[in-house]
Amino acid sequence: GDSVTQMEGPVTLSEEAFLTINCTYTATGYPSLFWYVQYPGEGLQLLLKATKADDKGSNKGFEATYRKETTSFHLEKGSVQVSDSAVYFCALETGNQFYFGTGTSLTVIP
Amino acid sequence: DGGITQSPKYLFRKEGQNVTLSCEQNLNHDAMYWYRQDPGQGLRLIYYSQIVNDFQKGDIAEGYSVSREKKESFPLTVTSAQKNPTAFYLCASSIGRGRDGELFFGEGSRLTVL
């Protein structure tokens, strides 16, 4: 069945470090791919998305490219800030069904 | 502002009691979902509804029930049959009907069984 596998955390980085969180997927058909972010005690917010192969989603300095050949959608940011500390979820959607990874906790220290 | 409203934010329940979590959306979305989140884990789908008066079980529906009598409302009842109900519950909606769409989430409801 369809599924998402993402890098396990927790991840701790110093401010201004480079961030990569790996995400790979298994899906029949052509899914849309998403990254969501969750701050403590809150719901999830959409960070970025890509709906077809080779699309790049970007928002707030974060980027991810839909790679069909490697079935991946890795999240990257060139210089993280303390305010980026949160849990990040990779997800895919096919036919209104959404599948989430287990989440990666990121802590950025000053 | 359009969005999803969940209430209550915090809820305490005694064992053996049923409780109902409210979820209302004013986004005119067709599809609505309930997820359960446990500490350090991902989201698990409880129930979803693609259209009014219709809903389907997700991966962990046992001990839960839902209704979808109105497009904007999708309440979740946690029954006494749910053995381990303490968790964070998230309601979400999407535009639905096969269209490319993202999930919009509410702020969540934290249920604690005493």
Side-chain angles (χ1 to χ4, degrees):
Chain A
D2 297 347
S3 66
V4 173
T5 301
Q6 69 179 95
M7 186 172 104
E8 289 196 18
V11 174
T12 302
L13 294 173
S14 297
E15 206 165 22
E16 299 184 2
F18 184 84
L19 169 71
T20 300
I21 301 178
N22 289 339
C23 172
T24 57
Y25 68 90
T26 301
T28 53
Y30 304 95
S32 295
L33 301 174
F34 306 86
W35 277 100
Y36 284 85
V37 59
Q38 185 179 34
Y39 299 100
E42 297 183 8
L44 278 68
Q45 303 171 25
L46 179 69
L47 181 59
L48 54 84
K49 71 176 183 180
T51 58
K52 60 183 188 298
D54 300 325
D55 268 2
K56 177 186 282 189
S58 62
N59 186 26
K60 299 180 182 179
F62 291 89
E63 292 184 341
T65 301
Y66 189 140
R67 302 279 188 206
K68 193 168 189 299
E69 63 275 14
T70 55
T71 62
S72 65
F73 193 56
H74 305 321
L75 182 69
E76 296 182 336
K77 186 175 186 183
S79 175
V80 293
Q81 305 301 311
V82 172
S83 57
D84 294 327
S85 298
V87 180
Y88 293 82
F89 291 91
C90 185
L92 71 83
E93 179 267 336
T94 57
N96 291 325
Q97 297 300 309
F98 292 82
Y99 301 88
F100 287 84
T102 53
T104 302
S105 175
L106 170 66
T107 301
V108 180
I109 55 178
Chain B
D1 265 24
I4 298 179
T5 302
Q6 288 187 240
S7 63
K9 193 171 175 68
Y10 299 96
L11 185 60
F12 298 89
R13 186 193 96 172
K14 292 182 180 178
E15 284 195 25
Q17 285 182 333
N18 292 357
V19 294
T20 297
L21 307 180
S22 170
C23 178
E24 303 278 330
Q25 54 100 357
N26 60 3
L27 299 167
N28 199 33
H29 283 172
D30 287 319
M32 296 187 75
Y33 308 77
W34 274 106
Y35 291 91
R36 171 179 171 143
Q37 186 178 26
D38 293 287
Q41 299 191 26
L43 279 66
R44 292 186 288 170
L45 181 64
I46 304 173
Y47 269 98
Y48 65 100
S49 168
Q50 305 275 28
I51 196 169
V52 174
N53 291 323
D54 189 41
F55 49 82
Q56 286 78 41
K57 293 181 179 180
D59 300 320
I60 56 164
E62 186 174 347
Y64 300 97
S65 65
V66 293
S67 63
R68 187 86 188 275
E69 297 176 2
K70 298 187 293 183
K71 186 175 185 177
E72 59 269 24
S73 179
F74 192 43
L76 173 75
T77 296
V78 185
T79 75
S80 56
Q82 169 50 237
K83 298 304 178 193
N84 185 21
T86 295
F88 190 52
Y89 291 88
L90 288 161
C91 180
S93 71
S94 73
I95 198 166
R97 294 189 179 275
R99 290 169 283 182
D100 253 347
E102 70 218 48
L103 278 176
F104 291 77
F105 283 87
E107 291 291 302
S109 293
R110 186 168 299 281
L111 172 63
T112 302
V113 173
L114 303 173

